[in-house]
Amino acid sequence: MAYISFMERFRIPTYDDPATGTTGRVEIDRELCNGCGRCAAICPGKAIYMAGKGTRRKAGFDQDFPQCMSCNDCAAICEQGAIAVTEPYWFAYRFKTLDRGPFSAPRHFPGGTQDARP
Amino acid sequence: MEEVAVAQSLASVAPTAGEWTAVEEQVLRRRSVRKYKERQVPEDLVRRVLEAGRFAPSAGNCQPWKFVVVRDRAIIDEMEHDIRLACRLFAFLMDWRTSPIGRGPALFMHKLNATLLPNMLHPIPTGAVFAVARGDLMAFHGAPTVILLCEDVRGVSKPEVDLGCCGQNMVLTAHSLGLGTCWVGLVELLKRPKWKKRFGISYPYRFCEGIVLGYPFGEPDGMVPRELQAIDWYENGHKKIVY
């Protein structure tokens, strides 16, 4: 079973078209956001910007041309829990994303295997 | 073998809380840090990090690595400058959105290079190269300490894998010491006579990866969601796919 066809392997689109691939997506809860700006400061893709002044200063996600690689650094650094990465990046054709399921937090798989070992 | 359909429904894999071991904590809570405080990391901590690298497993115990530690701000800035120049050249030739050579020729160059260098020019690092060229991203993220991992190309089997193990030991140890780290693949762009000469890197060594080290800006740690992976699982004469 081919995961990626011969033709797909040699097609390299620009990925500007959402049909051929999209960047990550970040959702920001503007109610919870306190405008500290840490997420925008650490975002490696400059996909998050700060806008507004004073108490209305809030983080926003660049909708036009975000360079989000769904690294989740913004969600981890946000003390308010206002940020969630909702979609991972994916690509079609040559760099087709394979064998992925949806997002999940770390799972623990309780089963007591640690204590049960002889 | 008989193939059984997806064994575990995705709904049943909701996150669960529980006791993590100390190692799991480090693995799960560590995030790549891309913004650092200026404060230098004490030498003893860097030595401890390198010590963890020294004890990494390697094929045939060949230890195919050499570490170059750079804590000199002037040298790091110069490396940053040179990487940025190289990125600007890439952007000039290949950034179809902005290149002065025109969209058509730039797209041609992009596709040609992405075919020849599929790993370096995956869309994500391509975006990073263009971001460095624009000045939106720093290769070394302003970190005060840079460890360059050099690979002995004569290493047993697959020396790059050994360097990965070695670096992972180092970044997890650094995390346990309260430091932030980030892998820097853009050191690829330092593979030029100037920097090879500067650091005395010649055959059998080659620059492989960089790891930056420093005190992180803010509190970057935390467990975050990540895509599940489709895992093929063979047992009792059946194949199942688990997530």
Side-chain angles (χ1 to χ4, degrees):
Chain A
M1 185 179 72
Y3 288 105
I4 179 163
S5 74
F6 190 76
M7 291 305 284
E8 281 179 315
R9 277 177 63 176
F10 290 96
R11 181 159 170 203
I12 305 173
T14 61
Y15 297 108
D16 285 340
D17 178 355
T20 58
T22 61
T23 62
R25 284 280 146 185
V26 169
E27 263 170 37
I28 298 162
D29 187 329
R30 291 173 68 85
E31 296 292 309
L32 290 174
C33 175
N34 65 358
C36 73
R38 288 198 180 95
C39 51
I42 57 133
C43 178
K46 293 279 177 287
I48 299 177
Y49 62 88
M50 300 303 296
K53 284 186 179 156
T55 54
R56 286 206 299 275
R57 189 172 126 95
K58 302 281 176 191
F61 182 67
D62 182 352
Q63 296 289 340
D64 296 333
F65 184 59
Q67 293 260 333
C68 174
M69 59 166 172
S70 42
C71 71
N72 262 298
D73 274 11
C74 51
I77 208 167
C78 181
E79 290 175 353
Q80 305 296 314
I83 301 186
V85 179
T86 53
E87 274 180 53
Y89 73 74
W90 69 273
F91 299 115
Y93 304 111
R94 186 176 184 107
F95 299 102
K96 188 174 177 182
T97 311
L98 300 171
D99 280 335
R100 303 286 169 88
F103 273 138
S104 164
R107 295 165 294 163
H108 195 265
F109 298 105
T113 48
Q114 260 182 346
D115 303 329
R117 289 215 182 100
Chain B
M1 269 193 177
E2 190 189 338
E3 194 166 320
V4 175
V6 179
Q8 200 175 2
S9 82
L10 292 174
S12 70
V13 293
T16 47
E19 294 283 307
W20 304 104
T21 65
V23 173
E24 281 174 318
E25 279 273 336
Q26 300 302 327
V27 171
L28 296 172
R29 291 187 57 79
R30 177 195 169 269
R31 314 294 319 144
S32 293
V33 173
R34 298 189 183 85
K35 192 169 173 65
Y36 292 91
K37 292 176 180 162
E38 267 181 41
R39 189 178 145 211
Q40 184 55 280
V41 181
E43 186 183 331
D44 57 308
L45 295 188
V46 181
R47 297 300 296 262
R48 275 173 82 167
V49 168
L50 292 163
E51 205 66 352
R54 190 162 72 89
F55 280 89
S58 60
N61 190 23
C62 69
Q63 304 162 35
W65 43 65
K66 177 183 173 64
F67 309 127
V68 178
V69 178
V70 187
R71 284 155 66 79
D72 196 312
R73 178 44 65 193
I75 299 178
I76 297 175
D77 286 348
E78 201 182 334
M79 290 195 289
E80 183 80 49
H81 175 78
D82 281 16
I83 288 177
R84 178 143 189 239
L85 281 185
C87 288
R88 286 174 71 173
L89 178 64
F90 269 89
F92 176 82
L93 293 172
M94 288 171 16
D95 190 347
W96 59 94
R97 299 181 194 95
T98 60
S99 173
I101 67 173
R103 185 181 159 86
L107 266 178
F108 174 76
M109 289 296 286
H110 168 71
K111 287 182 185 189
L112 179 69
N113 284 302
T115 308
L116 297 174
L117 304 166
N119 309 95
M120 262 193 84
L121 293 174
H122 177 283
I124 294 293
T126 303
V129 164
F130 296 164
V132 172
R134 286 195 304 272
D136 282 350
L137 181 67
M138 288 170 82
F140 297 105
H141 311 294
T145 295
V146 175
I147 300 174
L148 298 171
L149 294 182
C150 303
E151 170 196 352
D152 183 337
V153 298
R154 305 162 307 157
V156 178
S157 191
K158 304 176 194 79
E160 277 187 327
V161 174
D162 297 338
L163 260 79
C165 294
C166 173
Q168 184 70 351
N169 270 13
M170 295 205 275
V171 300
L172 291 177
T173 303
H175 184 258
S176 75
L177 296 170
L179 300 170
T181 47
C182 191
W183 290 80
V184 179
L186 284 176
V187 296
E188 195 74 19
L189 299 174
L190 293 178
K191 282 183 180 168
R192 289 159 35 191
K194 173 185 170 182
W195 288 102
K196 285 181 185 169
K197 210 173 155 190
R198 183 79 173 263
F199 290 126
I201 298 300
S202 59
Y203 181 86
Y205 290 116
R206 67 175 192 96
F207 289 121
C208 183
E209 274 277 348
I211 292 174
V212 296
L213 215 59
Y215 287 100
F217 166 85
E219 296 280 339
D221 293 348
M223 293 189 196
V224 296
R226 173 74 57 94
E227 297 99 311
L228 297 169
Q229 303 282 328
I231 300 161
D232 295 352
W233 188 300
Y234 294 88
E235 196 167 326
N236 299 330
H238 292 292
K239 176 192 177 184
K240 59 181 178 178
I241 297 168
V242 295
Y243 283 87

